[in-house]
Amino acid sequence: MNTLEFKRHRRLRKTAAIRSMVRETHLHTEDFIYPIFIVEGENQKNEVPSMPGVFQISLDLLKSELDEIVALGIKAVILFGVPNESDKDECGTGAFHDHGIVQLATKEVKKHYPELLVVADTCLCEYTDHGHCGIVENGTVLNDESLELLVKTAVSQAEAGADIIAPSNMMDGFVVAIRKGLDEAGFIDIPIMSYAVKYSSAFYGPFRDAANSAPQFGDRKTYQMDPANRMEALREAESDIEEGADFLIVKPALSYMDIIRDVKNHFNAPIVAYNVSGEYAMIKAAAANGWIDERSIILEMLTSMKRAGADLIITYFAKDVAGWLQDTKQ
């Protein structure tokens, strides 16, 4: 007779139906924000070499991309501009022109699909000839002097029809400056999705290929966070909440699950995990070599981000996962 006493947890794993019944964390298409890179010119659809399946697309091809996104049930996109190199200058003027590439793309989205949420990435690095996220003087990125340009960029994006402003520059005071600027321009109802916790990460390399935004000198370690730091993330998030942020982004996601959970535990605001380009590229490369089951890895990774505390996920896998979720419902 068996005299051992122990709990039988396997009872709740016995069948697929039982496992589904007790599953704690679920992915939904509404969780995803899909990044789009808008490039100058016409009839341009350029695959990013380090990000298979991700393209820079020109405005004239945006409608077909939007058709696919909406058909998949994705509710939000985040727009990144890729201006011509000849149009870049030391102040990133193209970021805040009313005819800037993101502004034009936003109007195009709203013309065809007014219900699709447009998140506008608010930064200068794609538009500056030095590739940094602010004004540079004697090799130093100036904080306070850069805020005015970020405010102008945010207001111009709101005027173009953006639903959410997402400042990614990590300048101190960027949220309160943008909040004040939006309010004074009459956009009191436009929320700010702050890149509150943005690490100076090696996982961003492929994005810089996609956005042509690599810094021309130095690095961004003086304004983006040290990957070794945990408590600093809470200080950054707290500042942004106090200054008026409505969402908090943690970027990157995969190596920062502890930070996502910390931020979720400390702040009563929607938390956004940015599943960044390097995380995407690693999975694509491993899958191309037949080393992993791509679909299973992607679903497990994104589910773990939600389990860690993310309410929303910015991910280049959004279209793939949205299609898989549609298939499972049929």
Side-chain angles (χ1 to χ4, degrees), residues 182-254:
L182 289 172
D183 290 353
E184 290 177 349
F187 297 107
I188 60 174
D189 294 326
I190 298 290
I192 295 175
M193 181 182 287
S194 172
Y195 286 68
V197 182
K198 183 177 181 180
Y199 285 89
S200 181
S201 172
F203 284 97
Y204 301 153
F207 175 90
R208 290 167 185 167
D209 289 343
N212 296 344
S213 64
Q216 297 303 300
F217 67 89
D219 53 42
R220 295 175 177 147
K221 292 180 180 180
T222 63
Y223 47 101
Q224 295 178 1
M225 290 172 51
D226 186 337
N229 291 356
R230 179 180 178 187
M231 300 308 297
E232 182 183 2
L234 298 181
R235 297 197 299 272
E236 288 279 1
E238 183 177 28
S239 295
D240 285 8
I241 287 291
E242 291 174 350
E243 293 173 11
D246 301 282
F247 303 79
L248 299 172
I249 297 176
V250 177
K251 180 183 181 182
L254 190 59

Side-chain angles (χ1 to χ4, degrees), residues 39-280:
V39 69
E40 301 276 6
E42 295 182 353
N43 197 32
Q44 298 293 312
K45 188 172 183 180
N46 311 316
E47 188 170 30
V48 180
S50 54
M51 299 178 70
V54 173
F55 297 84
Q56 300 171 332
I57 59 173
S58 52
L59 280 173
D60 57 317
L61 301 183
L62 181 56
K63 171 63 163 53
S64 61
E65 178 79 355
L66 297 174
D67 291 343
E68 181 183 5
I69 289 167
V70 171
L72 288 167
I74 295 169
K75 305 298 185 185
V77 296
I78 182 167
L79 301 180
F80 297 94
V82 187
N84 292 325
E85 289 294 323
S86 60
D87 293 332
K88 297 182 179 184
D89 60 30
E90 63 181 7
C91 295
T93 308
F96 47 85
H97 272 172
D98 58 4
H99 58 277
I101 189 65
V102 164
Q103 288 78 0
L104 294 176
T106 299
K107 293 175 182 178
E108 188 75 5
V109 174
K110 289 301 179 181
K111 179 174 75 174
H112 299 293
Y113 293 105
E115 75 282 3
L116 185 63
L117 284 172
V118 172
V119 182
D121 179 76
T122 306
C123 198
L124 303 176
C125 61
E126 296 101 322
Y127 307 91
T128 56
D129 53 15
H130 48 72
H132 280 284
C133 303
I135 296 173
V136 172
E137 185 176 288
N138 297 324
T140 299
V141 180
L142 303 181
N143 191 93
D144 296 12
E145 293 82 352
S146 300
L147 296 180
E148 180 181 350
L149 300 184
L150 295 169
V151 171
K152 291 174 68 173
T153 301
V155 170
S156 72
Q157 291 169 338
E159 289 174 340
D163 299 287
I164 298 171
I165 298 299
S168 59
N169 50 86
M170 286 296 285
M171 296 294 109
D172 291 337
F174 69 135
V175 173
V176 69
I178 289 171
R179 181 73 274 158
K180 184 174 184 289
L182 289 172
D183 290 353
E184 290 177 349
F187 297 107
I188 60 174
D189 294 326
I190 298 290
I192 295 175
M193 181 182 287
S194 172
Y195 286 68
V197 182
K198 183 177 181 180
Y199 285 89
S200 181
S201 172
F203 284 97
Y204 301 153
F207 175 90
R208 290 167 185 167
D209 289 343
N212 296 344
S213 64
Q216 297 303 300
F217 67 89
D219 53 42
R220 295 175 177 147
K221 292 180 180 180
T222 63
Y223 47 101
Q224 295 178 1
M225 290 172 51
D226 186 337
N229 291 356
R230 179 180 178 187
M231 300 308 297
E232 182 183 2
L234 298 181
R235 297 197 299 272
E236 288 279 1
E238 183 177 28
S239 295
D240 285 8
I241 287 291
E242 291 174 350
E243 293 173 11
D246 301 282
F247 303 79
L248 299 172
I249 297 176
V250 177
K251 180 183 181 182
L254 190 59
S255 292
Y256 297 85
M257 298 287 193
D258 58 325
I259 307 301
I260 294 172
R261 174 46 58 188
D262 283 345
V263 174
K264 180 68 172 179
N265 287 345
H266 281 82
F267 302 101
N268 185 23
I271 308 302
V272 185
Y274 198 138
N275 177 211
V276 300
S277 59
E279 297 164 359
Y280 176 91

